Amino acid sequence: MRYEIRVDGQLSEALTSAFPELDHVLMSGHTVLFGHIVDEAHLYGLLARCQSLGLRVLEMRQLPE
Amino acid sequence: MIGRAGVVSAMAGFGFGFGESGSGPAVPCADPHGDPFLRTRFAVPARPATFLRRKRLADHLDQALRTPLTMVNGAAGAGKTLLVADWAEARDRPVAWLTAEAGDPRPGMFWAYLLQALRAAGVPLPVEIGCPADASRVDRTLLTRLATELAARDRPVIVVLDEYDRVSAPEIAEQLEFLLHHAAGGMRLILVTRTEPLLPLHRHRAAGDMTEIRNAELAFTPGEAAVLLGLHGLRVPAPAAEALVARTRGWAAGLRLCALAARESPDPETYLKRFEAERTAVADFLLAEVLKRQTPETQDLLLRVSVLERFCPDLANVLTERADAEGILTGLHRENAFVEDLGHAWYRLHPLFGEILRAHLRVRSPGLEPVLHRRAAQWLRRSGTLAEALGHGAAAGDWEFTAGALVDDLAIGQLFTGLRSDDLAELFSRMGPETTTPATDLVRAARALSRCDLDRGLTHLRHAERTLAGEENRAAPDGEADAATEDGPGPAATWLSCALLEALAARLTGSPGRAELAAGAAERLQETVPGHLLAKHPELTALLLAHLGSTRLWAGHFEEARAALCLVADCSGGAATALPREDSLGRLALIDYLNGWLGRAERKAMAALTVAERYGLPQSSGFGIGRLVLAAVAVDRDDLRLAQGHLDAAADARPNMRDPVTEAGRTIATARMLLARGDTRAALEATEPAVAADVASPWAAGHTALVASAAHLAEGRPEAAAELLHTVPGHQAVCAVGEARAQLVAGRPRAALDLLDRLGPESHAGPAVTVRALLVRAEAAAAAGDSVAVRRFVAQALREARRERLRRPFAEAGGWLRPLLDTAPLRGLAAGWLTPGPPPAGLDERPPVVEELSGRERDVLRRLAQLMSTEEIAADLCVSVNTVKTHLKSVFRKLSVNRRNDAVRRARELRLL
């Protein structure tokens, strides 16, 4: 399944590299991380990673395949 | 074969006490597997000089004193921990503080640490509460004992669980809820967490017994932000403070970093304005800003220590390969930048910054991480915290080091027993097949053997032994092969680990010769390894002796087996040796049963179950023979329902390892129960051996023959029955009695009596054998028409059987006996336990109470005697109905009864009321 996670602010290279399995695109005032997600455990793991890096999740949604 | 004296001297040198009845150390100041508990986990974090106490939050937190549950819930860096730490320090009594471990602690480990946190805070907890010995589970009864202890306190104990979001196991939440409920106001639990815990919060909210401080409340107001910046020497006007709070959403970590970055800049106010306009993620931006303002040495140090959970200056120096860590860390802490002081010169990175710094490290120095892990592992190995050294060794992927550290520390037994075993199994499951040193082979062998994969286990073990021998031959010219150096015990530790696995393999395959060889080698090696390592790992010797004893038992050498097993059963060592102790007590119970002493067997088997319960041993981890002995004892007492219950429980246990002794025990209990039910065919089928053994066991063969002979007798072939038992090796009393009975049925009373006469008193046979022998004599006398002798023999049999409630032999004896039991004086001897009727006065037929009742259990029992209902008792004692039920269950178990009336009667008999 594919997901996108929109977080507040533009991420530095160091922070986007903390999500090596996802692609990202910087927008005005936020960053969209997107890509293939293995299962629910992976999804929750990504959310926990966002939290531990101090990122604010604005939106998260499943993308059509 | 090593004799008793040799084993005793081997054990005595390693801190094994005698007569300590396995109660463990009186004041456990080290955790069960030997590593010192990390003091830093129980330390209330120190507040930096720039900490701002906010009265509105402290006042709200004061409500925690009145509600059982408090939750402080907010984002990383919201200031939760410092808020609670500051509040906790202001209490007039110590607060039990536990910072949850990284990597999702499992229930057993969690509770072991929580118990230790309570003790560290000066909460007196009796040793009887026990301690989990398995990382993955905790026994419900332990929680009940803890709850009872807390409920009896005058003032509730305050427990803070920091970083509770690291605990994701739903069981732990459920167990905390259980404790909270049953501690009945004896505990105030404060959870500090980033995520919503899995406790039933809605119920607590609805009942109004919960204090809740959430992210919005933790956020700084513009006024507070201005004061905080003031503490950092920055004066900001109100509109700037408002803008800053809007940009950071009042986030404490953001404000703190902002202050640090602005202070370093030439014009703080302009800097703050620029930050407002920035569109980057707050933490990311601010951290990069603060980091780039540090000296290159400081930046380098911060990035490198980000691979560590906690560090001291010396360890940081090892990672940076410089010597300036102490000054840098003191400075960083004074500045309140990134590092927190854990006391005793240990520090940690604030978790949020640690994560971000690690991300920076990976970008700036790819490939450095494993190197840092390896250096940390080597330092930790020297400084003596094995568990952390293993963790970093594994993170570095350096399996030669990691397996080597485990083996050199003599810690290989921890793969089988103790709190660490699951974690170690998980850690080494990541080890690939590439590295082949003796130590990695031994770890592979241990893992295979613990899964009962004998072929694979022995292949790895042989490979390790060949490599070791090869290394020694090459090193021999220098004469340094056996030298234990200061750095490590040398090859002796590796050989000793080989001996342990050899003994285990011998036990699993029923090879007494190999077990003795391994034990002999181990005894010699124990002389050459450092004594402090053996003292640190009592499980190694305990496991070795348990394997040796069990193999001797299989071979029928009961006395030698007992010598080894008693040493293990009596040793202290708490959770680390709980598994071998339970194992050994179960084997000792089997020996008593096989010798015909039911009461002794029952007491030892119950003691084994008590150890398993107190330390929360999973049923799958050991060999679990205690239940089988209880089943066999119940059959001899003609209580087939109880026997079936024990057999079912034993079948549910599904132990990981199966050894021939356990399987033979299962066979005996099952077949004897089927015989008692009259199902001879099924009994015969049950005696098919389930586990292959290298050497035949005389008693296992004897009992198989007894079952087969019973089948022959039942089908009218006494000759065949006698012949079968005659060929059993080893002159076993129980077989001789069986053969005598077959001879009698075959019409040869003379031959029967000859067999019995040859049984000397040296056979140490207990009532289960002697009573059967007396009944054969009585039947022979009956056939000869000597009614006086018949009565004498039956009376003696009844007297010997009565104490043990040994009923089965009288049922087996046949129809001639029944009318006799209805005549005086035999009627009086049989009444009340064998035949209906009032029991003779003063006869205490049950076993004594195995375990003392607790104060609370006596309270419940006294009210039970006053015919109060469960609800009334609960109301009277101010506890919940469930708590009363839990106490009742434990009272029933301790008194060996099943009903309330029986419990009261039994308690009166024992003068407990």
Side-chain angles (χ1 to χ4, degrees), chain B residues 171-245:
Chain B
E171 308 89 287
I172 297 181
E174 193 262 327
Q175 288 153 358
L176 278 171
E177 178 67 21
F178 177 87
L179 180 65
L180 213 48
H181 186 68
H182 292 271
M187 178 174 74
R188 299 283 179 259
L189 179 63
I190 302 179
L191 299 178
V192 182
T193 173
R194 291 177 188 174
T195 55
E196 199 86 351
L198 290 170
L199 280 82
L201 301 177
H202 55 281
R203 209 185 302 153
H204 288 284
R205 278 188 201 114
D209 61 5
M210 172 171 161
T211 306
E212 215 171 337
I213 297 181
R214 304 188 70 96
N215 204 45
E217 196 177 343
L218 288 166
F220 275 68
T221 64
E224 289 167 347
V227 179
L228 180 72
L229 292 172
L231 286 174
H232 287 80
L234 295 167
R235 290 175 59 84
V236 284
E242 263 172 51
L244 199 56
V245 166

Side-chain angles (χ1 to χ4, degrees), chain B residues 366-405:
Chain B
L368 186 59
E369 239 183 310
V371 178
L372 296 175
H373 277 300
R374 184 174 301 123
R375 282 190 207 152
Q378 278 155 359
W379 186 89
L380 288 163
R381 171 87 182 99
R382 282 197 304 279
S383 78
T385 43
L386 180 68
E388 287 193 73
L390 296 179
H392 283 288
D398 187 343
W399 296 109
E400 181 177 353
F401 167 86
T402 311

Side-chain angles (χ1 to χ4, degrees), chain B residues 569-813:
Chain B
D570 291 343
C571 82
S572 58
T577 56
L579 189 70
R581 266 186 291 149
E582 183 244 12
D583 185 23
S584 297
L585 281 166
R587 314 265 131 182
L588 288 168
L590 180 65
I591 293 177
D592 282 333
Y593 169 78
L594 292 172
N595 280 334
W597 297 97
L598 300 192
R600 292 180 198 170
E602 184 183 45
R603 278 194 292 281
K604 293 206 178 83
M606 292 300 285
L609 296 189
T610 304
V611 170
E613 186 182 86
R614 180 173 293 175
Y615 290 96
L617 295 176
Q619 293 184 311
S620 60
S621 67
F623 295 90
I625 200 168
R627 290 239 174 242
L628 297 171
V629 172
L630 289 177
V633 168
V635 172
D636 256 354
R637 290 184 175 157
D638 232 4
D639 189 345
L640 300 187
R641 211 163 50 88
L642 182 63
Q644 185 66 57
H646 286 306
L647 280 175
D648 291 346
D652 288 343
R654 300 186 181 287
N656 292 336
M657 289 192 276
R658 283 150 58 101
D659 76 340
V661 171
T662 310
E663 294 316 309
R666 192 188 310 280
T667 300
I668 291 173
T670 310
R672 296 200 69 89
M673 192 188 64
L674 291 166
L675 278 183
R677 287 203 179 133
D679 194 346
T680 8
R681 182 182 299 269
L684 269 176
E685 280 166 15
T687 55
E688 294 292 320
V691 170
D694 288 358
V695 169
S697 168
W699 55 268
H703 277 270
T704 304
L706 274 173
V707 173
S709 79
H712 283 306
L713 276 182
E715 285 163 25
R717 292 189 298 272
E719 304 284 349
E723 181 56 32
L724 204 60
L725 286 169
H726 194 70
T727 55
V728 169
H731 303 293
Q732 299 174 62
V734 65
C735 293
V737 174
E739 190 188 345
R741 175 141 162 70
Q743 293 288 11
L744 191 64
V745 177
R748 285 193 293 273
R750 192 65 256 156
L753 292 177
D754 278 351
L755 279 164
L756 296 181
D757 288 341
R758 260 178 269 145
L759 282 179
E762 70 278 6
S763 66
H764 305 297
V769 179
T770 55
V771 167
R772 285 185 167 89
L774 283 165
L775 290 175
V776 172
R777 285 186 191 278
E779 196 177 350
D786 184 352
S787 65
V788 177
V790 172
R791 280 167 189 283
R792 198 177 70 237
F793 287 130
V794 173
Q796 198 185 338
L798 285 169
R799 272 192 295 270
E800 286 188 21
R802 184 166 64 180
R803 269 181 59 82
E804 304 265 20
R805 283 174 295 146
L806 177 64
R807 303 187 187 93
R808 191 70 218 147
F810 299 92
E812 286 166 359

Side-chain angles (χ1 to χ4, degrees), chain B residues 412-425:
Chain B
I412 196 156
Q414 288 188 357
L415 283 169
F416 299 97
T417 174
L419 262 180
R420 253 332 142 200
S421 60
D422 283 3
D423 283 346
L424 284 177

Side-chain angles (χ1 to χ4, degrees), chain A residues 8-18 28-30 48-56 58, chain B residues 74-76 165 194-195 247 249 251 279-284 351-353 355-356 359-360 362-363:
Chain A
D8 199 14
Q10 295 187 334
L11 301 195
S12 68
E13 188 202 344
L15 276 218
T16 52
S17 72
S28 113
H30 54 250
R49 216 181 303 166
C50 286
Q51 193 186 33
S52 67
L53 291 165
L55 299 176
R56 228 161 63 80
L58 300 173
Chain B
D165 45 276
R194 291 177 188 174
T195 55
R247 172 77 172 95
R249 294 169 190 269
W251 184 40
R279 317 220 63 172
T280 49
V282 175
D284 185 11
L352 171 67
F353 306 148
E355 285 291 335
I356 302 178
H360 279 272
R362 285 179 192 144
V363 172

